[in-house]
Amino acid sequence: MEELRRSFQAARHQVSGHGKRNVGVLKDALRNVADETGSDIYGNGAVINDFEQKIAALLGHESAVFFPSGTMAQQIALRIWSDDRDNRHVAYHPLCHLELHEQDGLRQLHPIEPVLVGEHDKVMTLEDIKALPEIACLLLELPNRELGGVAPTFSELETIVAYCRERGIRLHLDGARLLELLPYYDKTASDVASLFDSVYLSFYKGIGGIAGAILAGPKSFTTEARIWKRRYGGDLISLYPYVISSDYYYEQRKDRMGHYYEQAKHVAERLNAIDNIFTTPRVPVSNMFHLHFKEEMTDVTARLTRIQEEVGLGLVGYLVEHDGYCSTEISFGDAFDAISNEEFEQLMTRLTADFSA
Amino acid sequence: MEELRRSFQAARHQVSGHGKRNVGVLKDALRNVADETGSDIYGNGAVINDFEQKIAALLGHESAVFFPSGTMAQQIALRIWSDDRDNRHVAYHPLCHLELHEQDGLRQLHPIEPVLVGEHDKVMTLEDIKALPEIACLLLELPNRELGGVAPTFSELETIVAYCRERGIRLHLDGARLLELLPYYDKTASDVASLFDSVYLSFYKGIGGIAGAILAGPKSFTTEARIWKRRYGGDLISLYPYVISSDYYYEQRKDRMGHYYEQAKHVAERLNAIDNIFTTPRVPVSNMFHLHFKEEMTDVTARLTRIQEEVGLGLVGYLVEHDGYCSTEISFGDAFDAISNEEFEQLMTRLTADFSA
C-alpha cells in the first residue's frame, strides 16, 4: 500500500483535488493582502466578521460564526439544538462524520445520545426518519461523503424537511461539501441551506482552503455557538490565516463547482466502461464518487502502482478492502485541468488493458 | 474608555507588546519558507512533528502535541489526569484562565469539579494546598498573569512539588508565559517544566506568534491528548500557519526574555516613583506587571487620553475600576525598544505632573 501511495504522490499530476497541500497555498492567499490588515481578536474584527456576514448571506441565514473546524462546529450545533428542545437525542446517518471520524467526541463531551438513522449503504429516506423515536435534531449530510457524494433528490429533501418541521424537529445541514452539490440540484446555496435551522460549510474540501468552517443559523443560535466556541478553545486570538485563505479560495472556486461536477460525470462514465471497475454512484451527483475494483486488493495495488509509475498520473492513493472488491475515493478540483487528453487516454488504455475481464 | 483605547492605538509606539497584530506578522514568518514545504495532515508531517519534538526537548518532557489553543490543551490535560487518578477534583487558583476566560468550558464539557485554591490577591502557598481535599491534579500558573505576572520563589515551588509528589497528586504547569519567568528564576525551561507531569506553553504571549500552544508530558499522556484533540475538533487538517509562525517567533525571541524582564523592572521603578501610581508586583518577576492609578477612573481616563495624544506614546489601552483605584496590564516585548529615551522621559514628565499628589 505504501508503494501505491508513493506512486500516486510521485506522479506528475493527480486526478483528484486541487494540487499539493503545501505552504504555497497559504502564501498565494496572502500575496495581495496588505501587511497592515489587522488581525481578528477573539472573534472580533473586520477580517472575520465581514467574511461571516458574507457567508451568512450566501446561505440565507441571519448570522454565521467562523470555526477552526467542522468537528467543533457540528458538535456545538447539535448541543444547542438538544438544549433548545430539552431532548438528548439527535439523529444522523451511520456514516456521519461525528460517528466515524471524531473519536466519539459528541458522546464524550456532551450529554447527548445520538440515534443512527438509515442504512449503511444508502442515504436516509423519509421512512427511516418516520421510524425514529422523538429527537431534538436531525443532521443531514448533503452530499453524503462516505457514500461517494450522493444525496436525495431536492424534492425528497423538501419532503423530509416538511415532515421534520411539522414535528418540531430541528434540522442541521452538514454542508461540508454543499457547494459541490448545487450544480446537480440546480439550486443556489441559499435555496438548500435555508431549509435548515443551522448549516455547516467547510472551506478545505471543494473550495480547497487551508482549514476552517462556517456555522450559520439564527442570531440566537450563533450567539450561543460563540460561547461554546470559547468553551472548546476554538475562539483563537487570531483565526485570520484560515479566514483569509477561505475567502480567497471561495472566490476563486465558487463558480467552478459545475465544472468539477462535469469532470466527475465524465470520468465516472469512462471508468464504468471498464469490465472490473465501477463507481458509486454510477452517475455522480457532485464532484466526487467512490471507485471500486472487483479484484483482490494485493493484485489491484500492484497493477495500479505500475500504471501510475508508467503513465505518470496519480489516480489512487489508497485502497480499502471489501468483500470481493476494493475501493478508493475520487473528488474533482483544479488538478484535473492540468492533465492533457493524451495523458488521460493513456491512463484509460492501461486501466482497460489491466482490468478488463 | 473608547477615547483612551483610540489614543493608545493611534500613538506612534506602544509601551507593551511586540507591535501591531497584523497580517505582516504572518507574512514575515512565511517569507523564508519554501512554497513546496508540505502541510501537516491531521497532526502528522515534519512541519508539526519536528516542532513538537523540539519543544518537548526544551521542556525536558518525553513528548509534545501542538494545539490551536491553550484553552483546549489545558482542559484536556486536566481531564486526562482526572481519569488517571479516578478523581473528579482538580485544583487551581481562583484567577486561573479556566475559571475566568473559558465560559466554564471545563465544567460544561467534562465530569470535573474544580476546587479553587489560594486567595484572590496572591499566589497559592503550601498551606493553601495542604488544606485541599483529595484531588487528582493541581494546576500551577507560572507566572500568574492575573496577579501581574507573579510567582512563588523557585524553592517554594520545589516544596509544593515535593508535597504533591508524595501524595500522588498530578502536577500540571500552566506555563503560558513560562519563558518570561526564567530570567527571574535563573533556570532553564526544563529545570522548571520537568518538575511537572504536564506542561502547556503559549506562542502568542511573550513569544508573539499568531496563535498556538504546546502540551507536553509523558508519551502515554500525549497519546491520549491527541485523541481528545480530535474529539474537540482541534486536530485540523493543517495547523502549519500557527506552527511555522510559532517556531519563527520562538527562535527570534527565546533569548530576549531577560531583556524584557529588565525593561519591566526599570519602567515599574520609574512609575512607582510617582505619588498616585503604583505597580503590582512592585518589583516585577517577569516581563509584566499591573499598573494602578489611585484616582477616580473617569478622571484617569481623561488625563491618560490627553497625555497619550500629546506625547504620542501608548501606555494604557483600557482601565478596570477597583475600590479607590483603577488598573491596567503592562507587558514588555519588542515594542518598547522602538521608544527613544526622550519620548519615554517626556511620558514620565507628563505622568508625574498629572498624577503627583
Side-chain angles (χ1 to χ4, degrees):
Chain A
M1 187 63 81
E2 180 53 25
E3 279 179 13
L4 179 65
R5 194 181 64 79
R6 254 206 306 271
S7 72
F8 174 79
Q9 290 181 336
R12 274 190 316 283
H13 304 295
Q14 281 74 35
V15 170
S16 281
H18 292 297
K20 301 238 188 295
R21 289 188 66 85
N22 61 31
V23 174
V25 175
L26 177 58
K27 286 188 166 189
D28 284 348
L30 293 172
R31 191 151 293 129
N32 295 319
V33 181
D35 281 18
E36 296 69 31
T37 306
S39 174
D40 51 314
I41 303 284
Y42 297 116
N44 297 308
V47 69
I48 192 165
N49 300 145
D50 289 356
F51 186 63
E52 288 170 339
Q53 283 168 30
K54 170 173 165 173
I55 303 298
L58 171 81
L59 299 171
H61 278 263
E62 191 181 6
S63 181
V65 189
F66 190 89
F67 274 86
S69 74
T71 295
M72 193 185 291
Q74 295 208 108
Q75 289 178 16
I76 286 172
L78 295 183
R79 171 60 186 265
I80 293 171
W81 294 134
S82 169
D83 286 351
D84 174 69
R85 308 310 295 167
D86 197 18
N87 179 325
R88 298 158 72 95
H89 298 287
V90 300
Y92 49 64
H93 191 272
L95 300 185
C96 178
H97 196 274
L98 288 104
E99 194 64 16
L100 297 186
H101 300 298
E102 303 183 7
Q103 292 278 2
D104 216 21
L106 185 72
R107 287 183 189 84
Q108 293 282 341
L109 293 167
H110 298 281
I112 289 180
E113 291 166 26
V115 183
L116 303 183
V117 51
E119 292 169 46
H120 272 76
D121 57 354
K122 57 182 193 224
V123 295
M124 67 179 82
T125 63
L126 182 61
E127 295 315 304
D128 294 329
I129 296 164
K130 283 183 174 171
L132 283 172
E134 205 172 315
I135 54 169
C137 179
L138 176 68
L139 178 152
L140 284 177
E141 183 192 356
L142 299 176
N144 185 313
R145 182 255 178 116
E146 299 291 343
L147 293 175
V150 298
T153 65
F154 192 74
S155 93
E156 284 168 344
L157 175 61
E158 286 179 312
T159 312
I160 289 171
V161 167
Y163 175 85
C164 291
R165 288 261 176 263
E166 270 169 35
R167 275 149 196 86
I169 298 168
R170 295 294 188 181
L171 284 154
H172 172 73
L173 171 57
D174 176 343
R177 296 165 180 78
L178 172 63
L179 304 188
E180 292 89 312
L181 182 64
L182 300 177
Y184 164 67
Y185 275 171
D186 194 18
K187 298 285 179 191
T188 66
S190 163
D191 289 339
V192 183
S194 62
L195 298 174
F196 292 80
D197 294 292
S198 57
V199 189
Y200 143 63
L201 189 68
S202 170
F203 292 96
Y204 68 89
K205 278 90 185 191
I207 292 168
I210 315 291
I214 276 281
L215 183 63
K219 185 86 178 109
S220 57
F221 170 87
T222 57
T223 300
E224 218 173 323
R226 286 179 194 278
I227 295 171
W228 281 106
K229 181 181 163 190
R230 170 61 62 102
R231 287 177 178 148
Y232 266 70
D235 192 19
L236 306 193
I237 185 167
S238 296
L239 280 168
Y240 72 81
Y242 298 134
V243 176
I244 290 173
S245 48
S246 293
D247 196 14
Y248 179 81
Y249 290 107
Y250 167 73
E251 286 299 332
Q252 195 163 103
R253 296 187 176 128
K254 68 185 166 65
D255 298 326
R256 292 179 58 74
M257 297 296 161
H259 178 64
Y260 305 151
Y261 171 48
E262 293 303 324
Q263 286 174 338
K265 284 194 292 185
H266 167 66
V267 174
E269 191 180 0
R270 294 294 304 274
L271 290 164
N272 280 310
I274 302 169
D275 289 346
N276 287 322
I277 295 180
F278 68 103
T279 71
T280 50
R282 191 166 178 91
V283 180
V285 301
S286 69
N287 71 324
M288 69 178 291
F289 53 77
H290 284 181
L291 175 60
H292 312 282
F293 300 87
K294 281 186 279 190
E295 299 189 28
E296 208 270 308
M297 189 157 90
T298 321
D299 226 45
V300 175
T301 302
R303 279 189 247 168
L304 287 174
T305 302
R306 203 173 51 238
I307 294 174
Q308 295 186 149
E309 281 171 359
E310 291 176 14
V311 178
L313 288 186
L315 176 69
V316 177
Y318 69 90
L319 286 166
V320 178
E321 196 157 20
H322 299 288
D323 192 18
Y325 63 100
C326 53
S327 311
T328 195
E329 177 184 285
I330 310 283
S331 67
F332 288 84
D334 290 350
F336 192 71
D337 292 329
I339 298 174
S340 71
N341 279 339
E342 291 67 29
E343 286 174 308
F344 181 67
E345 290 307 327
Q346 208 187 337
L347 177 66
M348 286 299 130
T349 304
R350 290 296 309 271
L351 288 170
T352 305
D354 274 34
F355 289 95
S356 289
Chain B
M1 187 62 82
E2 180 54 24
E3 279 178 14
L4 179 65
R5 196 181 62 80
R6 255 204 307 271
S7 72
F8 175 78
Q9 290 181 336
R12 273 192 316 284
H13 303 294
Q14 281 73 34
V15 170
S16 280
H18 292 297
K20 301 238 189 292
R21 289 189 65 88
N22 61 29
V23 174
V25 176
L26 177 58
K27 286 187 168 189
D28 285 349
L30 294 172
R31 191 151 293 129
N32 294 319
V33 181
D35 281 18
E36 296 69 33
T37 306
S39 173
D40 52 313
I41 303 284
Y42 297 115
N44 297 308
V47 68
I48 192 164
N49 299 143
D50 289 357
F51 186 63
E52 288 170 338
Q53 283 167 31
K54 172 173 162 173
I55 302 300
L58 172 80
L59 298 171
H61 278 264
E62 191 181 6
S63 181
V65 188
F66 190 89
F67 273 86
S69 75
T71 295
M72 192 184 292
Q74 294 207 112
Q75 288 179 16
I76 287 173
L78 295 183
R79 171 62 186 263
I80 294 171
W81 295 135
S82 170
D83 286 350
D84 173 69
R85 308 309 296 169
D86 198 16
N87 181 326
R88 298 156 73 95
H89 298 286
V90 299
Y92 48 64
H93 192 271
L95 300 184
C96 178
H97 196 273
L98 288 104
E99 194 64 15
L100 297 186
H101 300 299
E102 303 183 6
Q103 291 278 2
D104 217 20
L106 186 71
R107 287 182 188 85
Q108 293 282 341
L109 293 167
H110 298 280
I112 289 179
E113 291 167 25
V115 183
L116 303 183
V117 51
E119 291 169 46
H120 272 76
D121 57 352
K122 55 181 193 222
V123 296
M124 67 179 82
T125 63
L126 182 62
E127 295 315 305
D128 296 327
I129 296 164
K130 283 182 174 169
L132 283 172
E134 205 173 315
I135 54 169
C137 179
L138 175 68
L139 178 150
L140 284 177
E141 184 192 356
L142 299 178
N144 186 312
R145 183 254 176 115
E146 300 291 342
L147 292 176
V150 298
T153 64
F154 192 73
S155 92
E156 283 166 346
L157 175 61
E158 287 179 311
T159 313
I160 289 171
V161 167
Y163 175 85
C164 292
R165 288 260 176 263
E166 270 170 32
R167 276 147 196 85
I169 298 169
R170 295 295 189 181
L171 284 155
H172 172 74
L173 171 58
D174 177 343
R177 296 164 180 78
L178 172 64
L179 304 187
E180 293 89 312
L181 182 64
L182 299 177
Y184 164 67
Y185 275 171
D186 193 20
K187 298 285 180 191
T188 67
S190 163
D191 289 340
V192 184
S194 61
L195 298 174
F196 293 79
D197 294 292
S198 57
V199 189
Y200 143 63
L201 189 68
S202 170
F203 292 95
Y204 68 91
K205 278 92 185 191
I207 292 169
I210 316 290
I214 276 282
L215 184 63
K219 184 87 179 108
S220 56
F221 170 86
T222 56
T223 300
E224 219 175 320
R226 286 179 193 278
I227 294 170
W228 282 106
K229 180 180 163 190
R230 170 61 61 104
R231 288 176 178 147
Y232 265 70
D235 191 20
L236 306 192
I237 185 168
S238 297
L239 280 167
Y240 73 80
Y242 298 134
V243 177
I244 289 172
S245 48
S246 293
D247 195 15
Y248 179 81
Y249 290 107
Y250 167 73
E251 285 299 332
Q252 196 161 106
R253 297 189 175 125
K254 69 186 165 66
D255 298 326
R256 291 179 59 74
M257 297 296 161
H259 178 63
Y260 304 150
Y261 171 49
E262 293 303 326
Q263 287 174 338
K265 284 192 294 186
H266 168 65
V267 174
E269 191 179 359
R270 294 295 305 273
L271 289 163
N272 281 310
I274 302 169
D275 289 346
N276 287 323
I277 296 181
F278 67 103
T279 72
T280 51
R282 191 164 178 90
V283 180
V285 301
S286 68
N287 71 324
M288 69 178 291
F289 52 78
H290 285 182
L291 175 61
H292 312 282
F293 300 88
K294 281 186 279 189
E295 298 190 29
E296 208 269 308
M297 190 158 90
T298 321
D299 228 43
V300 175
T301 302
R303 278 190 248 168
L304 287 174
T305 302
R306 203 174 50 239
I307 294 174
Q308 294 186 151
E309 281 170 1
E310 292 175 15
V311 178
L313 288 187
L315 176 69
V316 177
Y318 69 90
L319 286 166
V320 177
E321 194 157 22
H322 299 287
D323 192 18
Y325 64 100
C326 53
S327 312
T328 195
E329 177 185 286
I330 310 283
S331 66
F332 288 85
D334 289 351
F336 192 72
D337 291 330
I339 299 172
S340 71
N341 279 339
E342 291 66 28
E343 287 173 306
F344 181 67
E345 290 307 327
Q346 208 187 336
L347 177 67
M348 287 297 130
T349 305
R350 290 297 309 270
L351 288 171
T352 306
D354 274 33
F355 290 95
S356 289

